[in-house]
Amino acid sequence: MGKIIAIANQKGGVGKTTTSVNLAASLGVLEKKVLLIDADPQANASSGLGIDVEQVEVGTYQLLEHTATAEQCIIAANSPNVDIIPAHIDLVAIEIELVDKDEREYMLKKAISHLKSSYDYILIDCAPSLGLLTLNALTAADAVIIPIQCEYFALEGLGKLLNTIKSVQKIHNKDLDIEGMLLTMFDQRLRLSNQVVEEVQKHFSDMVFDTIIQRNVRLGEAPSYGESIIKYDVSSKGAVNYLSLAKEIIKKNA
């Protein structure tokens, strides 16, 4: 049985999409079968894996509306063993459209739970908000990865996210686990980066991944070529970091 992991943080720019795309690619090259679901209207995870977002006819929007099945929405990504359900800017409207539906928090869960037998990992790239889209992802997921950037306001908003996770556990999904907190954009030359790492490790000890994602130029360049860091530059620091994270997750779930 596969595992569904949401990658969530309501703060923007913490490395959610970078993590979704590169973790999916890393798990893929480690011979795990992966499905990435792009649940962010910005659709950056889709374009980051070589999908022309303008051409997307069925994707996360239709999946949540239940006007298309998951199988109809799945496209093979340009990365070994990775499939994707792409997003399109249309997804912006979904929150309004789902508002008065029954069981609106369970739309994604109903649409994808049967896929767990077809994939080792299903990753959901969440939008930078705690709206209905993210709620659907957390309700459908078995676990959540929380990226935290090693910068000044890193811990701001984290309490809010943890409270949201708690209330999802209480009301919608009692089995939701925290897979781990992932420190991103680490620059060892900066005292601040090191302080944030210490702070997060002190507060959340066991919940923090051993792998830390370092700041890396190649990691920033890869999406503009529609490629994961594994395809773009496998010898870069970014690729080494994400492969290490993938191994850590595989070992944890063995």
Side-chain angles (χ1 to χ4, degrees):
M1 273 298 262
K3 183 168 194 178
I4 302 178
I5 302 176
I7 295 159
N9 189 331
Q10 76 274 29
K11 272 172 75 82
V14 297
K16 277 190 298 292
T17 301
T18 304
T19 295
S20 304
V21 166
N22 295 309
L23 176 57
S26 301
L27 288 165
V29 295
L30 295 171
E31 303 193 337
K32 297 294 176 190
K33 200 158 169 23
V34 185
L35 173 65
L36 176 59
I37 298 172
D38 191 347
D40 181 352
Q42 295 173 54
N44 292 339
S46 306
S47 53
L49 279 176
I51 304 292
D52 179 352
V53 178
E54 294 303 314
Q55 302 299 315
V56 171
E57 282 172 20
V58 286
T60 317
Y61 178 76
Q62 287 75 14
L63 185 72
L64 284 160
E65 282 267 282
H66 292 184
T67 53
T69 64
E71 286 72 10
Q72 289 168 319
C73 301
I74 292 171
I75 306 177
N78 61 4
S79 198
N81 296 321
V82 180
D83 288 340
I84 184 167
I85 293 181
H88 184 275
I89 189 67
D90 285 357
L91 194 54
V92 166
I94 201 78
E95 306 237 340
I96 301 156
E97 290 174 28
L98 288 183
V99 146
D100 35 14
K101 294 252 171 96
D102 287 341
E103 302 209 304
R104 56 187 184 204
E105 297 89 353
Y106 297 92
M107 293 302 195
L108 187 59
K109 186 179 184 127
K110 287 177 185 165
I112 65 168
S113 340
H114 69 284
L115 294 173
K116 286 172 77 167
S117 53
S118 311
Y119 291 95
D120 296 308
Y121 292 96
I122 296 174
L123 304 179
I124 308 171
D125 182 30
C126 295
S129 76
L130 292 176
L132 251 184
L133 265 174
T134 300
L135 199 52
N136 261 277
L138 294 175
T139 302
D142 299 308
V144 55
I145 289 175
I146 304 169
I148 300 171
Q149 85 282 42
C150 298
E151 281 167 11
Y152 187 62
F153 290 117
L155 299 178
E156 195 186 64
L158 193 58
K160 202 171 169 192
L161 177 62
L162 293 172
N163 285 338
T164 301
I165 290 170
K166 266 198 197 101
S167 69
V168 169
Q169 286 166 330
K170 207 183 301 176
I171 305 164
H172 305 296
N173 181 1
K174 63 177 190 332
D175 301 322
L176 182 65
D177 238 347
I178 292 181
E179 185 76 12
M181 295 182 174
L182 176 67
L183 290 156
T184 61
M185 305 178 192
F186 174 71
D187 186 340
Q188 61 192 34
R189 297 165 307 183
L190 301 178
R191 199 163 104 227
L192 179 63
S193 266
N194 292 293
Q195 282 170 342
V196 171
V197 170
E198 275 170 41
E199 194 83 350
V200 173
Q201 287 171 341
K202 188 173 82 191
H203 283 295
F204 301 104
S205 55
D206 294 349
M207 289 158 76
V208 187
F209 285 111
D210 294 335
T211 303
I212 295 177
I213 308 298
Q214 299 175 25
R215 228 177 232 297
N216 178 236
V217 175
R218 310 294 276 169
L219 212 44
E221 291 170 354
S224 58
Y225 293 89
E227 291 179 351
S228 72
I229 190 65
I230 307 298
K231 196 167 182 194
Y232 182 64
D233 184 356
V234 74
S235 61
S236 68
K237 208 182 285 180
V240 172
N241 290 166
Y242 276 109
L243 281 165
S244 154
L245 175 66
K247 286 175 187 159
E248 200 176 329
I249 289 171
I250 291 169
K251 189 173 170 192
K252 191 174 174 182
N253 290 291

